[in-house]
Amino acid sequence: MAGGQDTAGGFLELRWLSGWRVAGYARVLLLASIVAVGFALRAALGSDGSDFLAFWSAGKLVLAGRPAAAYDLAATGAIQAELGRPEVFAFVNPPPFLLALWPLGALSFPVAWTVWVAATYLLWLAVTRPLAGRHGWPLAAYPGALIAATHAQTGFVTSAFQAGVARLLERRPIAAGLCLGALIVKPHLAVLFPFALAADRRWKAFVAAGVGVVLWLGVAWVLLGSETMLAYRKSWEVSRFLMREDDAVFFLRQATVYAQFRAWGLPTAATIAQALATLAAIATTWRGWSGKSPLDGKIALLFALTPLATPYLFNYDLPFLAVPTLWLVAREARRPGHRFARLELLALYLAPVLARAAALPLHVNLTPLVCLWMAWRVWQRMRGAEPEIPA
């Protein structure tokens, strides 16, 4: 009996999972993900439609010289109705994002969907690849990227901006700040960055980020006009309407503390819990970044804490979690931790897609707990305090 337990325990330790096996399994996973993306495109062409309809219709309106109409539900609805969509997918992103959607207006919906997914995935992969070390294949097949690809949303673009900040911060802080400023298209993903930069006294990047925000808004203003900048206010009503609704499914598709309590029908508790989570994330970021740990560990901590700091973040926004996950994998390879560390890392790697799949059946999105655990493991590795678990 004891021998059988030892064999099972040895198998679960994943010591047999060598580097070439990891790369091989990642290739298989990537192939399966490509097939899944094909099914997602088929679903997007069906009666339920896709969030990408908002991007595509906005691109058409920009190309037609009517960028302000991208925030008009009647105008976007008329374009989407041509594909037989009874409901309107509203465009709610800030005007600078319209500049990226402009070319899509010249393409048919299925071609635009495919081009958008492929182009933004390659952008994210190219920018993030240097942060992954020798784990290129696991990065390419990261499950969080699969979710972003099947939704054809903004996850790859914003995660590429985040990775750009991480890559440029040490040697080109001004460029890193400008890259951070580009997150004006989804500013809630940048909540922790100012505190991290201030704690580490990276003032060039800090100031450049503010300049970047003004720059991107200025470019959008010049190219799209004042009417478009003012029309953006219409999208606030759409966002407020969605966040006021007691739609459990809508909130379970998000990955925040606030959304989880809202899914349970507890709006007051949601506000309180999110405020506490945000303050804790800020405090942890400040402490971690004000220390003398290497920059790559600080970046891993910042990225792991980001989903805990914002009330509004969807599962398709999570490709950036590949960075702290693979940072932990690299630390495990250099200095092995507890007995089942590899199994734990595999669970963290698969967590984005597993948490998304389990959210509706369990009525719980486990992503905040995953990020909390990930941040704790990053913190331990940064501090060199990885606990040993007895065999």
Side-chain angles (χ1 to χ4, degrees):
M1 185 71 172
Q5 290 177 342
D6 289 343
T7 301
F11 180 80
L12 291 175
E13 288 180 43
L14 302 185
R15 298 298 173 187
W16 50 270
L17 195 58
S18 59
W20 67 269
R21 281 196 173 100
V22 169
Y25 292 143
R27 292 187 186 100
V28 174
L29 181 58
L30 179 59
L31 179 61
S33 298
I34 293 172
V35 174
V37 170
F39 281 108
L41 173 57
R42 182 179 179 182
L45 297 174
S47 57
D48 291 338
S50 163
D51 287 352
F52 183 74
L53 280 165
F55 295 173
W56 178 70
S57 55
K60 282 196 166 296
L61 289 167
V62 174
L63 191 65
R66 301 171 57 204
Y71 299 106
D72 186 336
L73 292 180
T76 55
I79 293 175
Q80 294 170 23
E82 295 176 3
L83 297 179
R85 304 296 187 271
E87 298 181 356
V88 181
F89 290 84
F91 180 75
V92 297
N93 297 87
F97 194 61
L98 287 170
L99 301 176
L101 303 179
W102 200 325
L104 299 178
L107 305 174
S108 66
F109 178 76
V111 173
W113 193 100
T114 304
V115 168
W116 176 258
V117 171
T120 55
Y121 168 76
L122 292 174
L123 171 67
W124 167 76
L125 186 62
V127 177
T128 310
R129 177 64 184 85
L131 301 175
R134 59 189 181 89
H135 302 294
W137 282 109
L139 174 67
Y142 183 59
L146 169 63
I147 298 174
T150 54
H151 282 77
Q153 257 280 354
T154 58
F156 286 134
V157 175
T158 53
S159 292
F161 289 149
Q162 290 165 297
V165 176
R167 282 185 58 185
L168 297 169
L169 187 56
E170 188 66 55
R171 297 184 179 180
R172 301 177 63 189
I174 294 177
L178 295 176
C179 200
L180 178 57
L183 279 176
I184 187 62
V185 299
K186 273 204 168 179
H188 48 280
L189 291 173
V191 170
L192 295 178
F193 278 89
F195 298 98
L197 297 177
D200 207 17
R201 299 179 181 274
R202 296 183 180 270
W203 301 117
K204 286 185 179 180
F206 189 97
V207 173
V211 173
V213 170
V214 175
L215 175 64
W216 295 118
L217 289 174
V219 170
W221 189 3
V222 170
L223 296 180
L224 303 175
S226 299
E227 185 183 358
T228 302
M229 306 301 287
L230 295 173
Y232 171 56
R233 295 176 298 176
K234 296 179 182 178
S235 71
W236 300 348
E237 269 306 314
V238 175
S239 298
R240 277 196 291 265
F241 172 79
L242 292 174
M243 296 299 284
R244 281 198 303 259
E245 289 292 292
D246 291 325
D247 185 346
V249 173
F250 172 75
F251 285 109
L252 286 171
R253 287 174 176 165
Q254 296 189 46
T256 69
V257 173
Y258 176 83
Q260 182 56 68
F261 280 88
R262 286 298 306 271
W264 290 335
L266 302 169
T268 302
T271 301
I272 296 172
Q274 184 59 64
L276 293 174
T278 301
L279 290 174
I282 291 172
T284 305
T285 298
W286 187 276
R287 186 174 176 186
W289 277 69
S290 61
K292 296 184 179 180
S293 299
L295 181 59
D296 60 346
K298 293 179 179 181
I299 290 291
L301 180 66
L302 175 66
F303 283 18
L305 289 170
T306 290
L308 299 173
T310 174
Y312 187 79
L313 180 144
F314 283 85
N315 290 279
Y316 55 67
D317 290 317
L318 299 178
F320 64 86
L321 286 183
V323 173
T325 303
L326 295 178
W327 184 87
L328 286 170
V329 171
R331 300 290 85 69
E332 172 65 19
R334 294 178 189 175
R335 183 169 65 86
H338 63 78
R339 182 179 179 185
F340 296 106
R342 291 191 177 194
L343 182 62
E344 180 184 6
L345 290 172
L346 178 61
L348 288 176
Y349 178 78
L350 297 174
V353 71
L354 295 179
R356 175 68 179 86
L360 295 182
L362 298 181
H363 209 67
V364 174
N365 195 318
L366 298 172
T367 302
L369 292 178
V370 169
C371 292
L372 182 62
W373 186 253
M374 184 183 296
W376 172 241
R377 283 307 195 198
V378 171
W379 182 270
Q380 289 179 318
R381 285 290 189 175
M382 287 173 65
R383 300 292 177 173
E386 177 71 14
E388 291 293 337
I389 297 178

